[in-house]
């Protein structure tokens, strides 16, 4: 009986902790969501696996890292296209800064944006199955910027399920 009580208590405490974390990160309905798509910053995304680094040239001049949830990583590893529903990709971006210690090297400067793509072929059928979110300091940017997301992906990477990033093996 005591063991059963401890198991139930542990499960309840874990549930409360997860709910608190979700609320703090805006995943329990109280957070900022992107206009048009309703995409939010996913819980724990900064601990996800790296898919690939990238560098954006002028005018943005950014260093970027694309991370993926477990479904994204599996799809990349198995060369699965289209990506399965539930795939989430997150792009972190920072200003590109020259290293003060070693001139040929670059280091991340100030954070610029976090961009999110969520695959849900029913919910986002009109945009190739993808919903988009772009956040600055944890807040979603305006609708006008979100209106350009799908058009850019459609024009350039329609043949790769609307995803620019390739897996860095």
């Amino acid at each position: 009986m005591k063991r059963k009580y401890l198991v139930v208590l542990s499960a309840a405490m874990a549930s409360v902790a997860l709910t608190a974390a979700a609320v703090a990160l805006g995943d329990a309905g109280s957070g900022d969501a992107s206009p048009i798509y309703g995409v939010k910053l996913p819980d724990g995304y900064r601990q996800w696996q790296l898919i690939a680094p990238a560098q954006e040239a002028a005018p943005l001049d950014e260093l970027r890292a694309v991370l993926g949830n477990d479904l994204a990583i599996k799809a990349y590893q198995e060369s699965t296209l289209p990506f399965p529903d539930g795939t989430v990709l997150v792009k972190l971006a920072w200003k590109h800064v020259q290293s003060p210690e070693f001139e040929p090297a670059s280091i991340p400067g100030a954070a610029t944006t976090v961009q999110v793509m969520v695959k849900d072929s029913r919910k986002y059928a009109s945009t190739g199955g993808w919903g988009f979110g772009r956040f600055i300091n944890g807040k979603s940017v305006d609708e006008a910027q979100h209106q350009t997301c799908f058009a850019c992906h459609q024009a350039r990477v329609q043949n790769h399920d609307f995803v620019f990033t390739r897996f860095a093996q």
Side-chain angles (χ1 to χ4, degrees):
M1 182 71 176
K2 186 176 180 180
R3 182 179 174 167
K4 184 178 178 181
Y5 172 77
L6 290 174
V7 169
V8 171
L9 180 62
S10 294
M13 290 173 59
S15 176
V16 169
L18 288 172
T19 302
V23 169
L25 290 170
D27 287 342
S30 63
D32 203 29
S34 67
I36 303 172
Y37 304 100
V39 169
K40 295 182 180 185
L41 289 171
D43 186 25
Y45 69 92
R46 289 190 176 268
Q47 282 72 48
W48 290 359
Q49 192 170 337
L50 177 71
I51 294 170
Q55 182 173 346
E56 184 76 25
L60 295 177
D61 198 26
E62 292 179 334
L63 297 176
R64 296 175 172 193
V66 178
L67 312 175
N69 68 356
D70 290 341
L71 278 173
I73 298 301
K74 183 177 180 189
Y76 272 107
Q77 289 171 337
E78 297 176 358
S79 301
T80 302
L81 285 179
F83 288 89
D85 281 358
T87 295
V88 182
L89 305 172
V90 175
K91 181 178 9 177
L92 308 173
W94 304 267
K95 285 313 264 178
H96 177 252
V97 175
Q98 183 180 17
S99 170
E101 292 89 13
F102 186 62
E103 289 183 26
S106 299
I107 60 171
T112 58
T113 63
V114 176
Q115 298 175 38
V116 181
M117 288 179 66
V118 176
K119 183 70 180 262
D120 184 329
S121 56
R122 289 186 181 156
K123 185 175 183 178
Y124 305 118
S126 66
T127 52
W130 291 98
F132 301 87
R134 187 164 185 251
F135 303 86
I136 298 174
N137 296 323
K139 302 290 181 194
S140 182
V141 297
D142 64 26
E143 185 172 329
Q145 288 191 20
H146 283 90
Q147 289 174 344
T148 65
C149 294
F150 180 64
C152 183
H153 286 250
Q154 184 178 34
R156 293 175 173 84
V157 285
Q158 186 171 0
N159 66 339
H160 194 257
D161 195 21
F162 307 99
V163 176
F164 284 97
T165 305
R166 303 307 192 265
F167 197 44
Q169 298 181 16

